[in-house]
Amino acid sequence: MNQPSGKRFDVCVSGSGAVAMSLALSLSAEGFEVAWARAEAFTAPNSTDVRTYALNARAIALLTRLKIWPALQSHAAPVFDMQIRGDAGGALHFSAWQQRVTELAWIVDAGALERLLSDALRFAPRVDVVAPLQGGQAPANAALLAICEGKFSDTRQSLGVAFERQPYGHWGVAARLQASRPHQGVARQWFRSPDVMALLPFNQPDPHASYGLVWSVPQERAQVLAGLPAADFELALREAIEASEPGALEHLGELRLTSPVASWPLALAQASRWSGPGWVLVGDAAHQVHPLAGQGLNLGLADVDTLVNVLSESRRLEPWRHAGDERVLQRYVRRREWPTRTMANLTDGMLHLFADSRGPLKDLRNAGMSLVERLGPLKHWLVGRALDA
Ligand SMILES: Cc1cc2nc3c(=O)[nH]c(=O)nc-3n(C[C@H](O)[C@H](O)[C@H](O)COP(=O)(O)OP(=O)(O)OC[C@H]3O[C@@H](n4cnc5c(N)ncnc54)[C@H](O)[C@@H]3O)c2cc1C
């Protein structure tokens, strides 16, 4: 792919992550001419990313349509059960069987996802790689600029769009683990002020007994954890699990670190505007949520799905409108803003509820958790939101 001169495009996709690549592929599959402005330093995507992503049914359906899923499935494991524990006896249990779905989510390898998307783009028709945008300037030869540059997008900033970021003061520590007992497709999560920890069943290196770890802790503790030798990290992990749920280690067995430990700063953020004449924000460039519900990328892929539907619908029904027509883009914004805010508020609310370790609140939140467990319809609604972000 080279940079053609004078060619006109329907959409210029700016960004180098999973959202940008999924959008470029989806648009190309729908017959749009795409200019992909990826980062200068873009080579093969980072296969050393230690994160595992929990992807929901809608995200998997999109990746299936993009023909990525069959290859990605060998780097993924299904979640059949999810057990969530509070810090004073509160518990929630979700099962695929109860929800009448085959699985609640898939846990996928973050590096494999990006690598497969970039491989597919090499052969995608109607996608030309162009130089990254200069100083956030929209290219003159594309009707629409789709900004998928992640939370630190400079193009969003140069458009003067505010992105109010509330840092949690917490970092997400991620690593891969191998256990001495099979996980049986059970994801576990513990809320124990100030930590939130999740063990996500994964299939590598051991197909039946590996986990992806996501551990949200205060910044200073994240730095300490990331610098520990493997044996000390494993000890800290064991202690945290035992303190959260005495006896849990009997089910999990020995946990051994199989990757480096990495960490990311966590924040809640939302762009003040998602679209304007000729431009639109997609994925983390528009919103950032806490990873405790594993929804950030799911929201981004749902944005992609919706935007492509809106553009295709408009091209079919109103061929006189171009892709950058603000009226068309507003339809995308209307469909995506509410589900995104709901998810952001839900995860933010949970986090704040569990951030306070005082007695009365502690009892109340654990009682609330157990109440949700007994309220079938509310539980069902919560899973519905998570399956279809
Ligand atoms: C610890 C952790 C665990 C998580 N777990 C989950 C999970 O289980 N499930 C889930 O759904 N989500 C999860 N997330 C969230 C998920 O990682 C993000 O929501 C997702 O990566 C956002 O994708 P994106 O493509 O929008 O942005 P990014 O991944 O940030 O990609 C944007 C890319 O664009 C590049 N870029 C920036 N500026 C430019 C420019 N001017 N030109 C070209 N390129 C540019 C950036 O360098 C970057 O490579 C997790 C996040 C963390 C931190």
Side-chain angles (χ1 to χ4, degrees):
M1 290 181 289
N2 54 359
Q3 184 156 359
S5 58
K7 182 169 173 181
R8 286 206 63 78
F9 298 97
D10 297 305
V11 185
C12 171
V13 175
S14 178
S16 318
V19 168
M21 291 192 278
S22 307
L23 180 60
L25 272 179
S26 303
L27 288 167
S28 136
E30 286 297 315
F32 290 96
E33 291 291 339
V34 180
W36 179 26
R38 63 186 192 193
E40 202 115 78
F42 185 93
T43 47
N46 181 9
S47 55
T48 55
D49 193 330
V50 296
R51 282 177 296 180
T52 48
Y53 290 143
L55 292 189
N56 65 17
R58 185 171 182 184
I60 300 298
L62 175 72
L63 295 173
T64 304
R65 288 199 298 281
L66 297 181
K67 302 189 171 54
I68 298 295
W69 182 238
L72 185 59
Q73 207 168 358
S74 54
H75 304 273
V79 179
F80 299 120
D81 275 280
M82 170 131 202
Q83 296 177 1
I84 306 177
R85 303 252 166 200
D87 49 0
L92 261 171
H93 173 228
F94 298 101
S95 86
W97 177 77
Q98 271 174 0
Q99 298 298 323
R100 297 195 183 88
V101 291
T102 328
E103 61 278 313
L104 291 173
W106 283 87
I107 308 303
V108 310
D109 182 303
L113 170 66
E114 294 208 351
R115 194 181 62 248
L116 288 166
L117 285 167
S118 92
D119 285 350
L121 272 167
R122 285 170 47 214
F123 303 103
R126 295 176 286 277
V127 179
D128 290 315
V129 171
V130 299
L133 306 184
Q134 292 304 316
Q137 274 298 314
N141 57 345
L144 172 63
L145 170 62
I147 303 161
C148 317
E149 298 173 359
K151 46 191 177 286
F152 300 117
S153 166
D154 52 3
T155 307
R156 179 190 60 219
Q157 197 183 345
S158 68
L159 285 165
V161 178
F163 192 64
E164 203 181 310
R165 230 169 145 251
Q166 298 164 35
Y168 283 115
H170 281 210
W171 283 51
V173 173
R176 306 278 174 91
L177 305 166
Q178 188 174 341
S180 59
R181 301 213 165 164
H183 53 55
Q184 298 177 315
V186 181
R188 295 164 195 272
Q189 190 168 37
W190 295 275
F191 286 82
R192 185 170 169 271
S193 173
D195 297 11
V196 184
M197 184 195 287
L199 283 184
L200 307 170
F202 191 51
N203 70 341
Q204 285 158 12
D206 182 321
H208 307 292
S210 304
Y211 287 98
L213 167 73
V214 188
W215 190 0
S216 158
V217 291
Q219 181 175 354
E220 313 77 61
R221 181 146 155 80
Q223 277 156 0
V224 172
L225 285 171
L228 289 177
D232 294 348
F233 183 87
E234 289 162 4
L235 177 64
L237 186 67
R238 274 201 303 278
E239 286 174 354
I241 295 174
E242 196 52 31
S244 302
E245 186 188 348
L249 288 169
E250 283 168 34
H251 302 290
L252 295 164
E254 280 294 311
L255 290 170
R256 200 168 54 75
L257 195 60
T258 58
S259 75
V261 175
S263 61
W264 287 260
L266 305 179
L268 176 72
Q270 181 96 262
S272 57
R273 282 181 75 190
W274 285 35
S275 73
W279 63 267
V280 69
L281 299 178
V282 189
D284 271 22
H287 44 71
Q288 191 189 354
V289 298
H290 192 285
L292 75 87
Q295 289 298 332
L297 184 57
N298 287 310
L299 290 169
L301 294 179
D303 292 350
V304 167
D305 197 19
T306 306
L307 181 60
V308 175
N309 281 338
V310 163
L311 294 177
S312 304
E313 212 172 78
S314 163
R315 189 183 49 182
R316 205 174 56 250
L317 302 175
E318 318 159 298
W320 62 91
R321 289 196 199 283
H322 60 77
D325 188 319
E326 211 181 341
R327 276 206 217 182
V328 177
L329 301 175
Q330 277 298 320
R331 292 175 202 151
Y332 154 77
V333 176
R334 279 198 294 276
R335 288 188 209 172
R336 290 307 301 151
E337 237 181 347
W338 186 82
T340 305
R341 275 192 199 282
T342 308
M343 188 53 72
N345 291 339
L346 211 65
T347 48
D348 190 53
M350 282 283 276
L351 201 80
H352 280 106
L353 201 58
F354 278 88
D356 194 320
S357 54
R358 283 170 298 176
L361 196 59
K362 189 169 171 176
D363 293 340
L364 202 63
R365 68 196 176 212
N366 282 277
M369 219 174 192
S370 301
L371 184 66
V372 174
E373 173 64 23
R374 289 196 294 274
L375 291 176
L378 177 57
K379 220 173 109 172
H380 197 74
W381 181 85
L382 283 171
V383 180
R385 298 284 67 71
L387 288 174
D388 189 27

